Every structure is written in C-alpha cells, then in structure tokens.
C-alpha cells in the first residue's frame, strides 16, 4: 500500500435513515465497532450541559447514521463511561452525569443489539465505588477487568474482576500497580491488558513506560518503551484515544492541561514497545474524542472537543485504512461505491446476484438492528 493513500478522510454525504438527524456534536463518548458498523455510546456537550443517553450506529458500508430506538433500563451516567462490545452485546460500566463527580455510577448495563433492549446487572462481591474515566477489558472467558478511574476528586489504581456469568466482583490487590489515574486508554489480548497514558487533576502521564496486567498471574509488569528515531516519545497528554489492530496500538489527539490540542498520530508496537510517529494527522485537533477499528483494519475517529476556550465540539467522523484491505473487502467496497443501489437490496436478492453470504449478511445486519 502506498503510505500516502491511507490518510484520514472525513466521511461526507452521510445519508440519514428513517429521517433521523445526525448525532449531535459531543465529547466524553465511547465507540466500538464490528464488521458492519461503528457504535457510539453516550457523551456530553457543554451548551446546556446536555447528556446523550443514546446509542448511534454508523453503517460503514452505507455510510449512514441511525439512532437506535432502545427500551429498558437506559444508563443515566453516560460521560466517560467504559464500553465494551462482546458479540451482539454492548456492555457499559460507570460514568458520570452533570454535575461531574456528583452523579457517578458503578452500574453494569448491557444492551442486546438483537432486541435493542437495555438491562442492568445486580452484581455482588467487591463492588467498585461509583466512578468515571475507568478502563475496561475483556479476558476472553466471560470476565471483565476494570482499572482506575476517579470520583471527581480522588483517583485510584484499583483492579476489579467481574465474572459476567455469576455477576460476582473480586478486587485484585497486586504489587507494582501504576499510579492512580483516569481517562487512560487500554488495549488487550488473550493474556493481559496494557494501560497507556492517563492523568490526574495535576499530572499527565508520559509514554516512555507503559504497564500491563496479566490475567492468569494477576500481576503488573512495567515495559520501558523505545522512542521514535526522529520524534522521540509522544508528548505527555490527557484525553487522547487509542485503538489496537493486530499487535500495534494507534494513538491520536489529546491535550495538555489548558495549553495545546494535538492532531498527531502514533503507533506503538506491543511486540517490542517501539514508538513511531506516523506521517498522518487528524484533520481537526481534538480531545475527549473516540476511536475504534473495524475487524478489516479501518480506523474511525468521531467527535471530541475542538477548543480549550469555548464549548465547541465536533460532530465529524473520519476514517483511515491502516492495512491493505483484503481483495474481497476491496471488491465489496468498490461495488457499493459504483452501484449504490446495491445497499438497498435484501439479502436474498444479494445472494442471487452472486454476493458472498458473508457480505450479504453484513449489509443486512445493520438493517435488522435498527
């Protein structure tokens, strides 16, 4: 792939499904993705202290937004929550509302995207305190690991393990934990999660050392990173975003405390902990935004704060390919680009046209979820 071709592109001409409006500009939201769509949960806008108790779906093939019409026990604390996607379940923990620090949550909510219905778990055991800016990771065996967060004034480095089958919490007290923090980013694999950056009220943590937590051993480990040969380490910052693809973490945006907003783009290789500053930059410097990868390797960045002085937020979504798409994926995208009417066809018609079932199912999955 020619490196100059995988730039961040704003997604233009976004169609609206069912006459719904575009998502409001926001910050403090979270996003996750599957093969067919990006899902945006929650968020906040300073004008009118508006909280967004909603889930938006962005169909990556149709390039359409759709506001999911959800029922059930909808979360109320939706700023700086933790969000995970497991199959067709969207799982949230904690978060805050307005005023921040006084409306915190420690609830686990689960959205079934087959039914668009929210439910909450009645957990027992070592239940975490209500907080926000906590990270969450999946262990691969039906467990969630929570780390860090804040009540608004106090910060912690607590680790809690939740078994989703028994709904039982267990607090893990392990030596070598990182300093207390919130709004750090985490990525994970089958063995451990990695925490990247984070902050307190007074301090932005650096990126020369990152920490991992081993699920089996229940231990922390520190990893000394190598700087980029030309640009050193990323500058310490807060409210950046990270997303993992393969064995690499991609970080963009963020801000220093009341000083500067970043538009830079970095890669950290988790096999050797080598930082590289990539040539691409975000079209708009932002912080408190979200980023997520599709399984095919396309990174989507949505929303965020655009100013340290005003309440201006972004409602734009950008994308960039970090890998060369598979030939089947590329062919499917070209078909949709040059013959957009294909996007409106039901699965049975797509199959008659010779579209492979996996792609016909993807295009119709988001239709069924609306």
């Amino acid at each position: 792939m020619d490196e100059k071709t995988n730039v961040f592109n704003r997604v233009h001409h976004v169609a609206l499904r069912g006459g719904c409006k575009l998502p409001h500009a926001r910050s403090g939201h979270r996003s996750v993705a599957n093969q067919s769509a990006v899902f945006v949960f929650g968020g906040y806008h300073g004008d009118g202290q508006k909280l967004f108790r909603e889930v938006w779906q962005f169909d990556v093939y149709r390039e359409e937004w759709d506001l999911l019409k959800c029922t059930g026990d909808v979360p109320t604390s939706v700023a700086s929550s933790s969000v995970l996607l497991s199959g067709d379940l969207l799982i949230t923990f904690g978060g805050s509302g307005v005023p921040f620090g006084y409306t915190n949550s420690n609830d686990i909510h689960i959205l079934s995207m087959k039914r668009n219905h929210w439910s909450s778990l009645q957990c027992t055991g070592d239940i975490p305190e209500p907080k926000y800016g906590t990270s969450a990771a999946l262990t691969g065996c039906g467990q969630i690991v929570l780390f860090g967060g804040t009540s608004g004034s106090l910060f912690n480095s607590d680790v809690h393990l939740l078994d989703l089958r028994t709904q039982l919490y267990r607090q893990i007290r392990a030596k070598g934990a990182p300093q207390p923090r919130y709004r750090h980013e985490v990525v994970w694999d089958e063995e451990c999660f990695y925490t990247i950056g984070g902050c307190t009220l007074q301090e932005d943590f650096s990126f020369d050392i990152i920490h991992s937590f081993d699920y089996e051993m229940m231990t922390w480990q520190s990893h000394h990173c190598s700087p980029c040969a030309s640009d050193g380490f990323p500058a310490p910052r807060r409210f950046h975003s990270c997303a993992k693809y393969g064995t690499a973490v991609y970080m963009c945006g963020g801000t220093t405390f009341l000083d500067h907003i970043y538009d830079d783009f970095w890669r950290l290789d988790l096999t050797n902990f080598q930082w590289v500053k990539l040539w691409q930059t975000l079209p708009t410097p932002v912080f408190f935004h979200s980023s997520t990868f599709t399984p095919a390797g396309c990174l989507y960045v949505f929303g965020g704060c655009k100013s340290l002085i005003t309440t201006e937020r972004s409602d734009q979504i950008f994308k960039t390919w970090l890998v060369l798409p598979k030939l089947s994926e590329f062919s499917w995208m070209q078909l949709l680009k040059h013959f957009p009417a294909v996007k409106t066809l039901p699965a049975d018609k797509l199959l008659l046209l010779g579209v492979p079932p996996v792609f016909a199912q993807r295009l119709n999955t988001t239709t069924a979820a609306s």
Side-chain angles (χ1 to χ4, degrees), residues 13 34 74 120 131 141 144 166 180 189 206 222 290 293 341 348 359:
H13 309 298
N34 60 20
V74 181
S120 58
K131 55 184 177 176
C141 57
I144 294 175
T166 63
D189 55 30
S206 64
S222 299
S290 67
F293 271 107
D348 57 344
F359 291 106

Side-chain angles (χ1 to χ4, degrees), residues 160-217:
H160 286 84
L161 189 69
L162 173 64
D163 189 318
L164 288 173
R165 293 163 294 187
T166 63
Q167 302 182 26
L168 179 67
Y169 270 111
R170 180 161 59 103
Q171 184 171 358
I172 308 300
R173 294 175 171 85
K175 295 181 179 179
Q179 292 175 248
R181 63 192 64 201
Y182 96 122
R183 287 297 310 199
H184 47 286
E185 294 289 296
V186 298
V187 298
W188 62 90
D189 55 30
E190 294 181 354
E191 299 177 352
C192 62
F193 74 77
Y194 302 86
T195 181
I196 302 164
C199 64
T200 64
L201 291 178
Q202 295 83 21
E203 184 176 7
D204 298 332
F205 294 109
S206 64
F207 298 99
D208 56 338
I209 297 176
I210 68 168
H211 304 270
S212 65
F213 182 82
D214 188 287
Y215 302 144
E216 182 177 357
M217 303 300 294

Side-chain angles (χ1 to χ4, degrees), residues 61 328-330 332 350 355-364:
Y61 295 116
S328 58
E329 192 83 29
F330 181 77
W332 177 235
L350 293 172
V355 173
V358 63
F359 291 106
Q361 181 61 34
R362 285 187 194 179
L363 197 59
N364 281 265

Side-chain angles (χ1 to χ4, degrees), residues 8 29-33 38-39 183 185 240-244 249-253 265 282 288-294 298-303 318:
F8 277 98
H29 54 285
R30 299 290 193 180
S31 63
V32 290
V38 174
F39 301 93
R183 287 297 310 199
E185 294 289 296
H240 53 288
S241 72
C242 290
K244 177 176 174 287
V249 181
Y250 294 84
M251 181 179 79
C252 62
F265 191 41
L282 293 172
F288 269 137
H289 54 295
S290 67
S291 63
T292 186
F293 271 107
T294 64
C298 190
L299 179 70
Y300 285 84
V301 178
F302 173 70
F318 301 98

